Each structure stands twice: as C-alpha cells, then as structure tokens.
Amino acid sequence: MDFSDSNMWRDLLLQAVLILATVLMFLFMYNIPQKFFSKLRLRNRADMQAKRHFVQGAQVLSQAKSSAAKDRSAAASLAKSAESEADSAIALDPRDAAAHILKALALDLQGFKTSALDSLDIALSPLAVKSLSEPEKADALFKRAKSCGESTRTS
C-alpha cells in the first residue's frame, strides 16, 4: 500500500475536524459556553454599575467639599448623597476598597468619625485591600491614622 502525502493530510484533517466536532457537541450539550458567557456578562455588568455609582459618588463628594465652606447644610446634603452612592457601589461589589473609602470620606465630612473609621477598616481588611495598589493602600492608611488622631483629640 502506497500512501501519498495528500491522502495522509486529508485523513489528518478529517480526524481533526471530527475531534473538534465531538468536543463542541459535548460542550453545547451541557450548556457550558452559555453558562460561562452569562456569568461573564453579569459580572461585568455589576462591576460597571458599581464603578458608575463610585464615580457619581466621588463627583458629589467633590462638590460637597467645595461647598463646605460656603453652605454647611448643602455640603451635608451632598455628602449624604455621596454616601448613598457609595452604599450602592458597595452593594454591587463589596470587595472594592475604593467604594468603602468613598463612604468613609463622606461620613467624615458629615461628622461621623467612628463610622468613617469603620469604613476605612473594612477597606483595609484582607478581603478588600487586594483591590488597592500600594500608593492607594498607603493613602488609605494615612487617612485612617489621621482620622484616628482627630477622634482621640476630640474625645
């Protein structure tokens, strides 16, 4: 029996196509691609919504800080709104330390020092601190130390 190169390549290609078809049939039979893509889509959607709430809260907090010297009641109202945006972001992604830090800053602006410290502690917990870079972690630790110092002076 004489096998030519063209027959061998044709047989190898046919075997590869059959193996690929078998694997794809197995995957689709158990809905594996649909499950994977639906989890991926839902995870990304929640992350995007959490980031949107975080950005809105940060913008409102910035407005609150700029209006704090002019109108204290407007600043408190804006800080409360920033806190609610941070709570929404935390509800969607509780492992994101940035949302906890935003909540701490909003609570601090409202005058709730111990609650702000609690939020910073959550942001610096092992579960959430993974989402921070080293400079962000250092900044959060500095804010916590500063808040601790202020709360002990007022006591």
Side-chain angles (χ1 to χ4, degrees):
M1 265 186 153
D2 190 300
F3 288 107
S4 66
D5 281 343
S6 66
N7 285 339
M8 185 176 69
W9 285 111
R10 189 183 64 198
D11 289 345
L12 286 174
L13 183 64
L14 181 63
Q15 288 176 2
V17 168
L18 287 174
I19 290 172
L20 182 64
T22 305
V23 168
L24 288 175
M25 285 176 19
F26 173 78
L27 290 175
F28 282 104
M29 192 168 57
Y30 289 103
N31 291 329
I32 292 173
Q34 289 87 354
K35 290 176 185 176
F36 174 74
F37 288 126
S38 68
K39 286 181 184 178
L40 189 63
R41 271 195 305 264
L42 291 176
R43 188 178 325 135
N44 287 342
R45 188 178 309 147
D47 286 346
M48 287 176 24
Q49 287 177 343
K51 295 292 183 210
R52 183 176 56 85
H53 284 292
F54 172 77
V55 169
Q56 287 176 344
Q59 290 172 345
V60 171
L61 184 65
S62 175
Q63 292 172 354
K65 284 183 176 180
S66 66
S67 69
K70 301 173 192 168
D71 187 10
R72 187 72 183 150
S73 65
S77 173
L78 287 171
K80 182 73 175 163
S81 177
E83 179 192 355
S84 70
E85 289 292 335
D87 283 333
S88 297
I90 290 169
L92 290 169
D93 188 8
R95 293 181 181 179
D96 185 19
H100 291 285
I101 293 171
L102 176 65
K103 182 176 180 177
L105 293 173
L107 288 168
D108 188 43
L109 193 60
Q110 293 177 58
F112 302 124
K113 304 290 184 192
T114 56
S115 297
L117 276 173
D118 290 341
S119 287
L120 278 174
D121 286 340
I122 294 170
L124 293 169
S125 70
L127 188 64
V129 79
K130 295 175 189 173
S131 66
L132 294 176
S133 66
E134 289 299 320
E136 291 170 333
K137 198 182 308 182
D139 190 38
L141 286 168
F142 177 74
K143 287 175 185 167
R144 188 188 183 294
K146 185 177 170 186
S147 294
C148 255
E150 289 175 358
S151 68
T152 57
R153 273 189 263 152
T154 57
S155 297

